[in-house]
Amino acid sequence: MKMKYILLCLSFFSIVSCYDDLGNYNYKEINEIKVVGGIEKEYSAYTMVSTLKINPKLSFTQDSLPVDRFEYTWYAGSTDFNKAKLIKLSNSLNLDYFIKLPKDSYILELRVKDKETNVEWSTQTNLSVTTLFTNGWLMLGEKDGYVALDMVSIPGGGDTIVTTDLLKNSELPPLKGPRKMISINRPDNPAWPQVNGCFMMTDDGTYELDRVTMASDVSKNIAYNIYDPNVSSKFAGSDMIQNSAYARILIGDNTLYVNGSLTSSGAFGNPANKYDKYGATFKVWPEIMWSINSWGSFSYNQMVYDMDAKRFVKFRNSSSFCTILPDNAGDPFTWETGNDMVAVFNSKYVSQGYKTSYAIMKSPDKHYYLYSFVPGTKDGPKKNNMFDITSLPGIDRAKMFVFSGKYPYMLYAVGSELHACEFLVSGVTHKKLDDFDKDEITLLHFDTYKESTQDVFYVGTYNTTTGGMVQKYQLKDDPNDIIIEKIGSKWEHLCKVTSMCWKWF
């Protein structure tokens, strides 16, 4: 019976030219229907991007019959017969369907039913659905006061394709306060859903997005994966990292959570921002300090900043609490700084054999300092240096900072101006790099993942008339001067981009 059903569904034309009137056994001619145009042999579309429009032209052998006598239905069914499922797309003759189908090859079928005789005709065509969301830059920001998500897709061998307003067709409520876009994946194991995730962090909640369609709904709220009974349904994540052993670390609402084994569970345990297993929690800075490896995972020790005691502390992904760090005589600074954190950045710059992290801090007497240290050694975090950067122009108004992976260079944004400094033991020097006139700089993103061997970074700006723009730059390989040059594409008419990440798979 199943095979007969499939054969019926896949017949190109199912036409019956007469029907049997059971009342008097006389055979009557019926109104035959043919498709005479408007349907191509095959179609291709992008899921969650394309709208499929088909306007069939029909001919009838009895043209005087009323139009409302007929019923129209569009179906899609996978060419993989093992799936054996028809999906209804529309009840109108003219198809106008926003593609939400998963990536696959489909048979697309139009059925026309004569409601008086119950005779049904069908015609079919092929539909190939693929995705634009495999490789590319996800760009999180704001549009018309709400969270917006755009993507610059980079298909293999093709030009970049910009897709805007990815959230407009999601089943998420309107959200406010874009925070951070994070895509976590194992290049050597892309098929494992447990270890590959795409997360959108906002003030109104943190949601996992489907990696193929970029769709989501309220059931994908990450708060449902946290054991902590005090966690809010509007849990506002701010940072997340993962290691090669499939452990994941999350910060949100100034609280630290750890998932020790993604392969067995996707859930996070109780808060780890405390100094013993059952102790009181402290308020943690929203970002994690860690040493980046080749594909963007962490190893060994990590660090967070205790905002209450104003000190750096360490923890391991297998720990349920944090540890106070010891100081040594002659250190360039103490771990307990007494300062307020301004920003954190994890770079590709190697010092003491490990990747370097930086912290920009403000003292009670309104001085600004740059701390350099190595979080991820086996023996625990190690200090590098501390620099007084109070004299840098506009440093008191700067909110975005990135660091070179090759040289001791820091870039920072003040309004529409892009600045840089070189920090050496001999002193700190400054250079103004660019000015975007009246367009505010909304994003600085250093590429520590996709082109990690190059000093590539992105600048996002916003214009009230033309919208958001993101431009790609590179720091030239010159140890004697800080020189930047525009490379690659410039993407315009985006949302007001405040966070971006590379999505692979």
Side-chain angles (χ1 to χ4, degrees):
M1 291 299 292
K2 181 177 181 182
M3 180 58 69
K4 290 181 180 179
Y5 174 76
I6 293 175
L7 291 174
L8 176 62
C9 291
L10 298 181
S11 60
F12 191 80
F13 286 102
S14 300
I15 301 176
V16 180
S17 60
C18 59
Y19 76 98
D20 188 7
D21 185 341
L22 298 177
N24 56 22
Y25 298 97
N26 291 327
Y27 291 96
K28 299 180 181 180
E29 290 189 1
I30 63 172
N31 184 35
E32 296 187 10
I33 304 170
K34 292 183 179 180
V35 177
V36 295
I39 299 183
E40 304 293 334
K41 291 183 178 180
E42 59 184 35
Y43 295 88
S44 60
Y46 293 111
T47 187
M48 301 304 292
V49 174
S50 305
T51 298
L52 184 61
K53 296 185 178 183
I54 303 177
N55 299 316
K57 295 180 180 178
L58 307 181
S59 69
F60 301 85
T61 57
Q62 299 177 17
D63 291 332
S64 60
L65 293 178
V67 176
D68 61 1
R69 174 171 164 172
F70 300 97
E71 183 178 275
Y72 307 99
T73 312
W74 285 93
Y75 292 96
S78 173
T79 56
D80 181 355
F81 294 152
N82 291 322
K83 297 178 181 178
K85 179 182 179 181
L86 291 178
I87 302 170
K88 183 186 289 187
L89 306 182
S90 174
N91 287 118
S92 300
L93 172 61
N94 295 327
L95 181 65
D96 188 342
Y97 173 69
F98 179 77
I99 301 292
K100 293 185 178 181
L101 299 169
K103 179 182 177 182
D104 205 346
S105 295
Y106 295 88
I107 297 294
L108 191 64
E109 182 178 38
L110 168 64
R111 297 182 186 179
V112 183
K113 180 179 179 180
D114 186 330
K115 292 186 286 185
E116 181 175 308
T117 64
N118 286 325
V119 176
E120 188 174 83
W121 288 260
S122 71
T123 186
Q124 297 176 346
T125 183
N126 296 312
L127 172 63
S128 175
V129 175
T130 187
T131 178
L132 276 174
F133 309 134
T134 301
N135 296 334
W137 290 104
L138 289 169
M139 298 183 178
L140 181 68
E142 193 174 57
K143 183 177 181 180
D144 299 326
Y146 292 95
V147 172
L149 181 64
D150 299 336
M151 184 169 184
V152 177
S153 301
I154 306 179
D159 294 332
T160 59
I161 301 172
V162 178
T163 308
T164 59
D165 294 330
L166 293 181
L167 299 179
K168 68 181 180 182
N169 294 296
S170 77
E171 297 179 32
L172 291 173
L175 303 170
K176 288 197 172 186
R179 289 191 168 201
K180 194 169 187 177
M181 195 71 214
I182 294 177
S183 179
I184 295 176
N185 52 277
R186 285 293 305 267
D188 61 334
N189 218 340
W192 280 31
Q194 303 101 312
V195 299
N196 296 284
C198 197
F199 300 90
M200 182 177 68
M201 297 178 168
T202 78
D203 289 350
D204 285 340
T206 296
Y207 296 90
E208 184 169 7
L209 308 183
D210 186 282
R211 295 186 64 82
V212 176
T213 66
M214 302 309 298
S216 187
D217 57 58
V218 293
S219 69
K220 304 301 189 297
N221 190 330
I222 199 172
Y224 301 145
N225 292 331
I226 301 174
Y227 285 139
D228 183 4
N230 296 315
V231 72
S232 166
S233 62
K234 289 190 175 184
F235 173 80
S238 55
D239 203 5
M240 180 188 292
I241 60 174
Q242 183 174 306
N243 75 349
S244 57
Y246 309 120
R248 192 173 284 172
I249 299 170
L250 169 68
I251 289 182
D253 293 339
N254 301 111
T255 305
L256 173 67
Y257 297 99
V258 176
N259 181 318
S261 179
L262 289 166
T263 55
S264 61
S265 170
F268 293 90
N270 289 315
N273 48 312
K274 49 194 175 185
Y275 293 113
D276 61 69
K277 189 173 182 180
Y278 302 104
T281 59
F282 57 84
K283 189 177 181 181
V284 66
W285 176 255
E287 295 169 280
I288 306 163
M289 290 156 276
W290 53 290
S291 293
I292 305 170
N293 74 7
S294 58
W295 61 268
S297 77
F298 67 84
S299 57
Y300 302 124
N301 293 281
Q302 300 81 49
M303 295 171 60
V304 292
Y305 194 68
D306 179 344
M307 297 174 66
D308 296 329
K310 296 186 179 182
R311 63 187 171 201
F312 294 99
V313 298
K314 77 169 184 177
F315 71 99
R316 295 286 296 270
N317 61 282
S318 57
S319 300
S320 58
F321 54 89
C322 298
T323 303
I324 295 174
L325 292 165
D327 293 308
N328 299 307
D331 283 355
F333 60 88
T334 58
W335 290 120
E336 187 170 339
T337 68
N339 296 329
D340 291 327
M341 184 71 76
V342 175
V344 162
F345 187 84
N346 302 295
S347 80
K348 284 282 186 176
Y349 188 79
V350 177
S351 58
Q352 303 189 63
Y354 292 87
K355 304 296 172 34
T356 306
S357 292
Y358 300 96
I360 296 90
M361 311 199 77
K362 180 182 178 181
S363 69
D365 60 357
K366 299 183 180 179
H367 275 67
Y368 288 84
Y369 296 95
L370 169 60
Y371 288 73
S372 170
F373 48 90
V374 179
T377 73
K378 288 183 179 181
D379 300 327
K382 295 181 179 180
K383 302 169 185 174
N384 285 334
N385 286 295
M386 181 182 70
F387 304 90
D388 189 334
I389 57 174
T390 308
S391 63
L392 290 176
I395 195 66
D396 58 328
R397 293 181 288 122
K399 296 181 180 179
M400 288 167 277
F401 306 83
V402 292
F403 289 78
S404 166
K406 294 184 177 182
Y407 302 106
Y409 298 159
M410 177 180 79
L411 280 62
Y412 64 100
V414 181
S416 63
E417 300 174 351
L418 180 63
H419 296 261
C421 77
E422 181 180 31
F423 46 94
L424 300 171
V425 176
S426 57
V428 177
T429 58
H430 167 265
K431 182 177 182 179
K432 183 177 177 180
L433 297 178
D434 208 344
D435 192 333
F436 295 88
D437 195 19
K438 296 181 180 179
D439 294 349
E440 173 195 5
I441 296 176
T442 61
L443 166 85
L444 285 183
H445 178 85
F446 219 98
D447 187 359
T448 57
Y449 183 36
K450 182 176 182 291
E451 297 179 81
S452 59
T453 60
Q454 306 297 321
D455 261 2
V456 172
F457 68 98
Y458 295 82
V459 178
T461 60
Y462 184 75
N463 182 283
T464 54
T465 301
T466 59
M469 183 273 291
V470 173
Q471 171 72 59
K472 183 179 180 180
Y473 290 83
Q474 185 169 22
L475 272 168
K476 296 197 73 171
D477 200 358
D478 188 337
N480 300 312
D481 195 7
I482 306 174
I483 302 172
I484 62 172
E485 59 180 350
K486 296 178 181 179
I487 60 174
S489 302
K490 176 175 69 175
W491 302 297
E492 300 179 287
H493 309 297
L494 303 169
C495 63
K496 187 176 182 179
V497 182
T498 55
S499 173
M500 62 184 285
C501 69
W502 174 254
K503 179 184 180 294
W504 213 329
F505 307 118

